[in-house]
Amino acid sequence: MLTLVSKSNVGMSPSEYEKAIRSIDDAHAQDPKIVRLDGEDIAYELHYSNKMSGYLDKCNPTASEILRLAIRAQHLRRWEIPRNAYAMNKTGYHLWRTYLKKRQGEMAAQICLDSGYSSEDASRVAGLIRKENLKQDADAQTLEDVACLVFLDDQFEAFKQEHDEAKIVNILRKTWGKMSDKGHEMALSIPMSDRARELVVRALDDV
């Protein structure tokens, strides 16, 4: 499991960043969905945020605290608003995603404020979670790349079991279109089953 708070600061007052990370992870740990990894049970959203932070270190090891906080909080308390809270159609899906980004951004911003960050920094974290100015903002693009990489690495194998091939290929094309060239390069290096790799290749044939 990733450790984002330095052990060298034990006995010292925690920094704003350490306070915020702990609050975010405390929230993740309340996710009722539990997965078993390496013989241990872990709340799914804590596992997901570990994956997000891990891929951020691969994409940008010198990322700012603000980007690290946004990455860590991207799915903050997402389980509280299930997909079926909205109509199970395309319009409902987009309304759900829009509301989640707004809600998660607001909650993350409040954690930042409570941890001692300025309102400017807190607003910046919220804006990144909402993925504002995606193609013009390098940090927002990095967050999108990381989210797409985690989907391909951690969620795609299960996703392809639940949907028909045409939908899978369409989602892969949309995912690819959101990513940067660097994200593309990293995505192609992710270990996958032969079937998953075949679907990715097919999706990219027409890109």
Side-chain angles (χ1 to χ4, degrees):
M1 183 182 299
L2 284 175
T3 300
L4 299 184
V5 177
S6 173
K7 293 182 179 179
S8 64
N9 288 336
V10 173
M12 300 173 60
S13 297
S15 68
E16 289 87 351
Y17 177 74
E18 290 169 332
K19 290 178 185 177
I21 287 293
R22 286 171 180 166
S23 293
I24 291 166
D25 283 355
D26 284 348
H28 289 327
Q30 295 173 41
D31 182 4
K33 180 180 177 180
I34 303 297
V35 294
R36 192 160 185 83
L37 297 170
D38 300 324
E40 295 184 4
D41 291 339
I42 182 173
Y44 176 74
E45 287 300 347
L46 192 54
H47 160 68
Y48 177 85
S49 65
N50 283 336
K51 281 281 190 180
M52 290 286 290
S53 294
Y55 268 104
L56 175 60
D57 282 338
K58 294 177 182 179
C59 288
N60 182 3
T62 61
S64 68
E65 287 185 6
I66 298 303
L67 179 54
R68 290 182 181 280
L69 289 168
I71 287 280
R72 196 75 180 174
Q74 202 229 353
H75 274 186
L76 193 57
R77 294 192 176 278
R78 185 174 184 173
W79 75 87
E80 294 179 339
I81 313 294
R83 171 66 185 90
N84 61 13
Y86 288 78
M88 298 301 289
N89 54 31
K90 187 174 182 179
T91 299
Y93 174 76
H94 287 297
L95 288 171
W96 175 65
R97 288 291 301 272
T98 298
Y99 177 68
L100 284 177
K101 287 190 290 186
K102 178 177 181 292
R103 180 177 186 263
Q104 289 156 186
E106 290 173 348
M107 289 190 296
Q110 188 60 54
I111 285 175
C112 289
L113 291 171
D114 292 344
S115 300
Y117 280 97
S118 68
S119 57
E120 181 181 357
D121 285 341
S123 295
R124 174 64 173 157
V125 169
L128 287 172
I129 290 173
R130 292 191 296 267
K131 300 176 186 175
E132 295 173 350
N133 302 315
L134 185 58
K135 294 301 182 181
Q136 291 76 42
D137 186 323
D139 282 351
Q141 182 61 62
T142 296
L143 189 149
E144 184 64 45
D145 281 349
V146 168
C148 291
L149 289 165
V150 172
F151 166 71
L152 291 169
D153 178 29
D154 191 57
Q155 301 167 335
F156 181 52
E157 289 290 346
F159 180 84
K160 72 180 178 60
Q161 303 296 332
E162 299 170 359
H163 301 281
D164 63 75
E165 188 169 304
K167 181 172 183 177
I168 293 168
V169 169
N170 185 49
I171 291 296
L172 285 170
R173 286 173 180 157
K174 289 180 178 179
T175 299
W176 201 256
K178 296 175 184 178
M179 299 174 76
S180 67
D181 290 343
K182 182 177 181 179
H184 294 161
E185 181 180 345
M186 293 183 66
L188 292 175
S189 70
I190 293 174
M192 297 181 188
S193 67
D194 290 343
R195 177 57 177 156
R197 180 74 60 184
E198 177 186 333
L199 289 167
V200 170
V201 170
R202 180 182 163 192
L204 299 184
D205 279 345
D206 297 328
V207 173

